[in-house]
Amino acid sequence: AETFHKKGIPIIGTSFPDMDLAEDRGAFSDLLKDLGIPYPKYGVAEDATEALRIANEINYPVLVRPSYVLGGQDMRIVINDRELEQHVLHIFKHAPDNKVLIDHFLDRSKEAEIDCICDGDEVHVMGIMEHIEPAGIHSGDSNAVLPTYSLSVNAVNLMVEYAEKLAKALNIRGLMNVQFAIKGETVYVIESNPRASRTTPFIAKAYGVPYLKIATKVMLGTHKLKDFVIKPQPKGYAIKVPVFSFSKFP
């Protein structure tokens, strides 16, 4: 996307600067602060010494995450200085120009996520999924239930409110996924992905709505959400179960 943007090639949907704001861990955490949305305590490190200082300020356990990765690549929960130093050096060895976000790991919290579509004016929440495992399992590897099964009405309402705020602040055109950690009645935003997530077809299938077709037309700018009649038809609970590559390929 950055290459296309620099060459002046139009990108359908959300613009490169807005994608970059969501993918840059430090800039995104600053945005959450500006919007008044709770997030785990964090710091951004560009070398191992800085990472150690931040981790000791925040207190272990901490979640170490590079920016600009897919599928939870090189994300790890670490519990002491030795583990932190080893992992941060590993990240910088493979991506020397990257930044590393170190945030406090919200131990024993629940995890949930929202997929939504934004057309610039309106935000439509497609579905809210609650993970069966506690926070800390990567969302792609987790089992998730649609709709939520144990979250309070207040927590669900806060998730929707934060997703709508983020969709508008990030100028989303099309799909967006937001991941949350819920501890007690506090809802924290872990991250937001300004794109289709792997749960989008899962929700479409469970609710019988062609969400990908709708989102594509919104991204093209030919339609607004108000142009569609969206009537989800839930049938009980839908459960997302991961399929790991090593069970599919020799």
Side-chain angles (χ1 to χ4, degrees), residues 89-184:
L89 288 172
H90 165 79
I91 290 171
F92 287 133
K93 181 182 175 184
H94 290 93
D97 298 325
N98 209 338
K99 292 177 184 173
V100 173
L101 180 74
I102 297 161
D103 51 5
H104 182 66
F105 176 62
L106 297 163
D107 200 18
R108 293 179 177 83
S109 58
K110 296 179 180 182
E111 188 167 341
E113 57 186 299
I114 276 179
D115 276 323
C116 62
I117 303 173
C118 180
D119 64 7
D121 299 314
E122 194 182 340
V123 179
H124 174 80
V125 171
M126 293 157 42
I128 307 172
M129 293 146 285
E130 182 179 352
H131 293 198
I132 292 173
E133 301 89 350
I137 305 297
H138 182 262
S139 58
D141 300 338
S142 66
N143 295 270
V145 177
L146 175 75
T148 63
Y149 61 93
S150 76
L151 298 178
S152 69
V153 173
N154 178 57
V156 170
N157 288 343
L158 284 171
M159 286 167 60
V160 171
E161 180 190 326
Y162 297 160
E164 289 176 347
K165 275 186 178 180
L166 278 169
K168 289 179 178 175
L170 291 167
N171 299 307
I172 296 295
R173 297 293 186 275
L175 292 155
M176 179 182 77
N177 169 270
V178 189
Q179 294 169 19
F180 304 89
I182 300 97
K183 194 159 186 174

Side-chain angles (χ1 to χ4, degrees), residues 19-79:
M19 278 191 248
D20 192 51
L21 177 54
E23 293 289 347
D24 182 316
R25 302 280 180 202
F28 180 68
S29 296
D30 290 341
L31 174 66
L32 293 175
K33 189 176 183 179
D34 292 342
L35 293 173
I37 295 174
Y39 53 90
K41 286 189 289 184
Y42 77 97
V44 180
E46 295 187 8
D47 58 50
T49 306
E50 198 175 9
L52 286 165
R53 179 187 60 76
I54 292 165
N56 282 282
E57 277 179 15
I58 292 172
N59 294 324
Y60 291 103
V62 295
L63 182 63
V64 180
R65 302 186 279 171
S67 295
Y68 310 107
V69 294
L70 278 173
Q73 184 184 350
D74 279 337
M75 294 185 191
R76 186 174 294 177
I77 299 160
V78 301
I79 60 170

Side-chain angles (χ1 to χ4, degrees), residues 124 207-211 214 228-234:
H124 174 80
Y207 283 172
V209 177
Y211 278 125
I214 292 166
F228 301 97
V229 178
I230 301 173
K231 289 185 177 176
Q233 297 172 321

